[in-house]
Amino acid sequence: MPNIVEEFNDYRERMNSNILSDNNKVIKRIFNLDTNAFQSGVLDVRTKELLGLVASTVLRCDDCIKYHLETCYNEGLKKEEVVEALSIATLVGGTIVIPHLRRAYEFWDALEDQG
Amino acid sequence: MPNIVEEFNDYRERMNSNILSDNNKVIKRIFNLDTNAFQSGVLDVRTKELLGLVASTVLRCDDCIKYHLETCYNEGLKKEEVVEALSIATLVGGTIVIPHLRRAYEFWDALEDQG
Amino acid sequence: MPNIVEEFNDYRERMNSNILSDNNKVIKRIFNLDTNAFQSGVLDVRTKELLGLVASTVLRCDDCIKYHLETCYNEGLKKEEVVEALSIATLVGGTIVIPHLRRAYEFWDALEDQG
Amino acid sequence: MPNIVEEFNDYRERMNSNILSDNNKVIKRIFNLDTNAFQSGVLDVRTKELLGLVASTVLRCDDCIKYHLETCYNEGLKKEEVVEALSIATLVGGTIVIPHLRRAYEFWDALEDQG
Amino acid sequence: MPNIVEEFNDYRERMNSNILSDNNKVIKRIFNLDTNAFQSGVLDVRTKELLGLVASTVLRCDDCIKYHLETCYNEGLKKEEVVEALSIATLVGGTIVIPHLRRAYEFWDALEDQG
Amino acid sequence: MPNIVEEFNDYRERMNSNILSDNNKVIKRIFNLDTNAFQSGVLDVRTKELLGLVASTVLRCDDCIKYHLETCYNEGLKKEEVVEALSIATLVGGTIVIPHLRRAYEFWDALEDQG
C-alpha cells in the first residue's frame, strides 16, 4: 500500500526545492515568511498550527490541510483537538468542506499508523 | 477499468462512517442537517438536488458534484435537465468551472453505463 | 427612507448601460448569454431563478442575490420557496453565508413592501 | 460620528430575529450549531474565537470578521494576539485580504474606544 | 458629490499607516513584498498591473480592483486595454464578477474625471 | 513514466468533444467566447495568456493553470516571465496557492522535456 504521508512529503520536498532553486525573489520571501509566521510568538505554535489548519480547510486545499495535520501531529496535538478545529471549519465553510474532511481523517489515521 | 462511480461511493461511505464514529457533535449534526435539507419540502427533491448540484459546481468541488449527479440520476432527472443546470453554473461561475464540467460529464456517462 | 430596491435597480441599469455602450465584444456576449441562460428551457424559469439565487448565495455576491431575489419575486415564487433555496445555500456554503442571508431577508421584505 | 460597533450589532440582531422568526428549520439549526460550536470543549473559547476569526478572514467576510473581533475582545484577548492570528490569515489568504485587514483594525479600535 | 477616488485613497492611506505602525513583522513584510512584486522585472510594470487587476477581479475584491485601476491609470494604460483585461476576468470568473465590473467602470470614470 | 502533458491534453480534448457534441447552447457559446477572448486585441496574445494564467492560479484550478502554461509555452514565453506572473498570483492569492505552484513547476518542466 502506498504510504500517503511519505508520498505527500516526498513530492512536497522535491518540488519546493525545485521552486526555491529557481530564485524568484518574491516566491522565496513568501516561503520564508511562511516559516516565520508559524513560529512561537504571543500565540504558541500549537494554536498557530490550528489556525493554519482551519484556514486551509475553509479554503479547501487538501495539500495545505495535510501539511498542517502533520505539523499538528508532530506538535503533539490530540485528535480531539484537531477534530474540534475541523468541526469549526466545516461549520463556517459549509458542507462543501466535507470531502476534505474525509481526506483529513484518512491522512490523520495514516499519521497515527506510521507512529 | 476502474468503475469511478463505485470507487467514489466506496471511499465516501467508508470515510463517512469513520467520521461519524468519531462522535464530534458539531460534525454529526452537520451531516444530519445535510440529510434533512434535501428532503421534500415546499420545493421537491428534484429541484433541491439541482440546487445542490449548482452550489457544488460553482464552488468547484468534484466530490460534491459527483454526489449530486448521482442523486439527480437516481431521482430520474434527465441528462438535458442536469446539463441545463450545469450550464447556469458555468455561466455564473465562469470558465474556471469547465474542468469540473468535463469530470461531471464523465461521471454522468459512468452512471448511465452502470444502469 | 431610501428604497433599497430602487437604489439597486437604478445603479444596476445605469452602469450596465455604461458597460454595454463601451462595446467590448466579450463582455457584451457574456451579458447576452446571461439573458439567454435564464430563459425557459427543459427547466422552467422559476427553477432557473432558484438555481441562479443559490449560485449567487454560495458565491456570496449581495448584488447577484438581490437580482435573483427580484426576479424570483416577479416570477411569483413564494417566500417559503425562496427561503428553502437559501437554506440549502447556507448549509452548503456554511455560516459565512449568514451575513448575506440577513441582507437577503431585508431585500425580500423591501420587495414585498413596494408590492 | 456613527458608532460602527453599535451599527453592526443593531443590524445583526434585528435581522437575525427576522430570520429566526421565519421558522425555516434548517436555518434555525445552523444558527443553533453556530452557538454550540464556539462553546468551550477540548479547545477553550479563546482559541475557538481565533479559529473563527481566521476562517472569516481568509474567506474575506467583513461581518464575520467583526463578529469574531468583538467576541475576541469580550473574551479578553489582547490586540497582539488578535493581530498575530490576522497575520497568519493574511499570509495564507494573500494580499487580497489586506482591505479586510484595514476594516478589522478600524473595528478593533472602535471596540477599544467604546471600552 | 463625494469623490470616490479621494475617499478610497484617504481611507486606504490612513488605515495602512495604522496597520504598519502596529509593527507586526509578518504583516509589514507582506506589505513590503507587495511593493516589490509589482516593480519592473522581466515583465514590465504595465503588464504586472494588469495581472494584479485580473487577480483582484476574479477574486472579487472591490478595493483591490480600485487600487489596480488607479495604478493602471497612472501608468498610462488606456481604457481599452484595461477593459480587455477585465473582459478576460469576467469570462474566467463568471457573471458573478459583473457587479464588480459595474463598480470598476464607475471608478475608472472617476479617475478620468479628476484628470 | 506517464507523460503528464499528453495525459492532460488527451483527457481535455476527449471530454471537450463530449461536452460540445451535447449541443447545450449556453455551454457551446461559453467555449466559443473562451477562444475569442484570448485572441489578439488591444492586448497581445502573450499578455492575455499571462492574464489567464494568473486568473487560473489565484482561483486555484490546476487544469486551467496547465492549459495556460501550455499556451504560454507555445507562444514562446520564457520561464522567467511565467514565474514572475506566478509570483504575483502567489502574493495576491496567498500561501494557499503554493501547492498549485508545485504542480505548475512540474508541468512546465514536462513541457520543456517534451520540447
Side-chain angles (χ1 to χ4, degrees), chain D residues 54-107:
Chain D
V54 163
S56 304
T57 307
V58 295
L59 290 174
R60 300 189 284 124
C61 172
D62 284 326
D63 281 11
C64 310
I65 293 171
K66 284 177 184 171
Y67 175 73
H68 286 292
L69 284 176
E70 190 165 359
T71 48
C72 283
Y73 183 82
N74 292 339
E75 288 297 325
L77 278 152
K78 289 182 206 143
K79 188 175 178 180
E80 285 80 3
E81 295 170 308
V82 166
V83 168
E84 215 163 272
L86 291 173
S87 75
I88 285 179
T90 309
L91 182 64
V92 176
T95 56
I96 204 83
V97 167
I98 290 176
H100 303 273
L101 202 59
R102 288 197 277 267
R103 291 187 281 271
Y105 265 82
E106 186 183 34
F107 197 77

Side-chain angles (χ1 to χ4, degrees), chain E residues 37-74:
Chain E
F38 286 95
Q39 284 170 346
S40 180
V42 291
L43 300 177
D44 60 25
V45 173
R46 285 165 169 236
T47 302
K48 286 186 166 186
E49 283 304 329
L50 290 176
L51 295 176
L53 178 63
V54 164
S56 303
T57 306
V58 295
L59 291 174
R60 300 190 284 125
C61 171
D62 284 324
D63 281 12
C64 309
I65 293 170
K66 285 177 184 171
Y67 175 73
H68 287 291
L69 284 176
E70 191 165 358
T71 48
C72 284
Y73 184 81
N74 291 338

Side-chain angles (χ1 to χ4, degrees), chain A residues 62 95-104, chain B residues 11 61-64:
Chain A
D62 284 325
T95 57
I96 203 84
V97 166
I98 289 176
H100 303 274
L101 203 57
R102 289 198 277 267
R103 292 188 282 271
Chain B
Y11 180 76
C61 171
D62 283 325
D63 282 10
C64 309

Side-chain angles (χ1 to χ4, degrees), chain B residues 25-27 29-30 32-33 36-37, chain D residues 25-27 29-30 32-33 36-37:
Chain B
K25 274 187 198 170
V26 172
I27 292 175
R29 289 174 65 188
I30 293 173
N32 239 307
L33 258 182
N36 296 348
Chain D
K25 273 186 198 169
V26 172
I27 292 176
R29 287 174 65 188
I30 294 172
N32 239 306
L33 257 183
N36 295 348

Side-chain angles (χ1 to χ4, degrees), chain A residues 35-95:
Chain A
T35 307
N36 295 349
F38 286 95
Q39 285 170 346
S40 181
V42 291
L43 300 177
D44 59 26
V45 172
R46 286 166 169 238
T47 302
K48 285 185 167 186
E49 284 302 331
L50 291 175
L51 295 176
L53 177 63
V54 163
S56 302
T57 307
V58 297
L59 290 175
R60 300 190 282 123
C61 171
D62 284 325
D63 281 11
C64 309
I65 293 171
K66 285 177 184 172
Y67 175 74
H68 287 291
L69 284 176
E70 190 165 359
T71 48
C72 283
Y73 184 80
N74 292 338
E75 287 298 324
L77 278 153
K78 291 182 204 143
K79 188 174 179 182
E80 286 79 3
E81 295 170 308
V82 165
V83 168
E84 215 162 273
L86 290 173
S87 76
I88 285 180
T90 310
L91 182 65
V92 176
T95 57

